[in-house]
Amino acid sequence: MSVEQLIVAIVVVAAVGFGVARTIRIIPQATAAIIERLGRYHRTLTPGLNLVVPFIDRIKDLIDLREQVVSFPPQPVITSDNLVVSIDTVIYFQVTNPKAATYEIANFLTGVEQLTVTTLRNVVGGMDLERTLTSREDINTALRGVLDEATGKWGIRVNRVELKAIDPPASIQDSMEKQMRADRDKRAAVLTAEGQRQAAILAAEGEKQASVLRARGEAEAAVLRAQAEAEAQAMRAKGQADAIGMVFKAIHEGNPDQHLLAYQYLQTLPEIAKGDANKIWIVPSEMGKVLENLGGLFTPPKDQDPR
């Protein structure tokens, strides 16, 4: 083989190899390739091994089909009460139609960003500052609805919209912090007063219960003392009655005469007068007869001679 023939063979092999390399296209997973044939859209290549016509078909773009997360820089937004707040947003979106994402809009990421800014200003512009700070979920829902509807023709689905931060002006933040501190101090004072009131109520209830228990104990003690005193008096009275009965029985069994009874009566009178309750001593009407009988003890009978 001559040198010319060898050179021709090398050129042919290189051309064939180059043509084969341009014919075979390997598309990664979760990626789609837009193929243009002679400047017009031809087809979309799916992941895996694909064959194209070299020098006629060309890959315009590789489209990522995974869900993408884009964080946009803070945007100044004016609320309905004319306060400027800075809002950071995060968009979660996914390309569902690679052809539409390529040919319906020049740069779908820029389009999503600008659409987010304008929609955010429209939504927040109808709210005051307080509602803006407390209605993140409502703002997210409104943004997602508008973005999903507007980006549908671009072959994009907006899955979620999140507000990372809502920053009011520094003066408003200072006023809000002062208000929050005042509210916390107020709640602390209310809780302290409520605690003191509850403590006073509990102390009064405890004192009341203690007083009731003391009074009940004193009443029960008084009842027990009265019962014990009554039982003691009953026992003393029974003992006295038994003693009187025994004395009475002994007297009757001894068959005493009037002189002995009168003498015993006189001995009993001083004992009766010793009581603390006896402030006035009344001499009974029978005292004369008693004295007569007593005098008879020392007077000799008439039939006896005094000598």
Side-chain angles (χ1 to χ4, degrees):
M1 180 181 293
S2 64
V3 176
E4 293 79 2
Q5 292 176 346
L6 180 61
I7 293 174
V8 171
I10 293 174
V11 170
V12 170
V13 171
V16 171
F18 182 73
V20 172
R22 294 294 300 270
T23 301
I24 299 175
R25 289 289 184 267
I26 299 176
I27 306 302
Q29 182 66 34
T31 305
I34 301 299
I35 298 298
E36 289 183 347
R37 175 169 291 181
L38 300 178
R40 298 183 59 182
Y41 171 76
H42 177 60
R43 64 193 178 101
T44 301
L45 299 184
T46 58
L49 180 64
N50 295 271
L51 299 177
V52 298
V53 178
F55 306 107
I56 297 177
D57 296 340
R58 74 181 184 90
I59 296 179
K60 177 177 177 56
D61 288 317
L62 285 176
I63 306 298
D64 193 346
L65 300 179
R66 296 172 297 178
E67 184 175 14
Q68 301 181 46
V69 181
V70 179
S71 177
F72 298 135
Q75 299 295 327
V77 181
I78 301 176
T79 61
S80 62
D81 47 358
N82 296 324
L83 293 175
V84 179
V85 295
S86 179
I87 301 179
D88 296 352
T89 55
V90 178
I91 305 295
Y92 298 80
F93 69 92
Q94 186 175 12
V95 176
T96 58
N97 189 342
K99 178 184 176 182
T102 303
Y103 294 105
E104 293 296 333
I105 186 170
N107 188 330
F108 64 82
L109 188 59
T110 302
V112 170
E113 179 181 2
Q114 296 303 318
L115 184 60
T116 301
V117 172
T118 56
T119 305
L120 183 63
R121 288 176 178 173
N122 290 333
V123 173
V124 177
M127 300 180 178
D128 57 11
L129 178 61
E130 183 177 358
R131 186 181 174 191
T132 301
L133 295 175
T134 58
S135 303
R136 292 196 177 194
E137 190 62 31
D138 296 339
I139 298 174
N140 293 339
T141 303
L143 283 175
R144 182 183 178 279
V146 174
L147 290 175
D148 193 28
E149 181 180 358
T151 58
K153 64 179 181 179
W154 300 342
I156 296 174
R157 182 178 68 246
V158 177
N159 297 326
R160 188 170 54 179
V161 180
E162 295 291 343
L163 301 183
K164 287 198 305 183
I166 301 177
D167 299 325
S171 59
I172 300 300
Q173 289 184 1
D174 185 61
S175 299
M176 293 173 61
E177 290 177 358
K178 290 180 180 179
Q179 183 179 0
M180 291 176 61
R181 286 195 297 269
D183 291 339
R184 286 195 297 267
D185 294 341
K186 178 181 177 181
R187 287 195 298 268
V190 170
L191 291 176
T192 301
E194 183 66 21
Q196 293 176 353
R197 187 176 73 88
Q198 292 293 336
I201 291 174
L202 292 176
E205 289 290 338
E207 183 64 26
K208 176 182 176 182
Q209 293 180 3
S211 300
V212 170
L213 292 176
R214 284 195 299 268
R216 186 177 299 171
E218 292 175 356
E220 292 178 355
V223 170
L224 292 176
R225 286 195 297 269
Q227 290 179 352
E229 183 65 24
E231 292 178 357
Q233 291 179 0
M235 293 180 66
R236 286 196 296 269
K238 186 176 182 302
Q240 293 175 359
D242 293 342
I244 293 172
M246 293 175 63
V247 172
F248 183 78
K249 182 178 179 181
I251 291 173
H252 281 278
E253 289 180 353
N255 194 16
D257 54 6
Q258 294 295 329
H259 301 289
L260 180 59
L261 292 177
Y263 180 73
Q264 292 293 332
Y265 187 72
L266 288 176
Q267 287 184 335
T268 307
L269 287 178
E271 299 296 331
I272 296 174
K274 288 181 180 180
D276 295 336
N278 296 328
K279 304 300 181 181
I280 300 174
W281 187 35
I282 301 174
V283 179
S285 59
E286 290 86 358
M287 182 59 70
K289 295 181 179 180
V290 172
L291 293 176
E292 291 179 359
N293 293 329
L294 185 61
L297 293 175
F298 305 100
T299 304
K302 295 180 179 181
D303 55 355
Q304 293 182 0
D305 190 359
R307 297 179 293 178

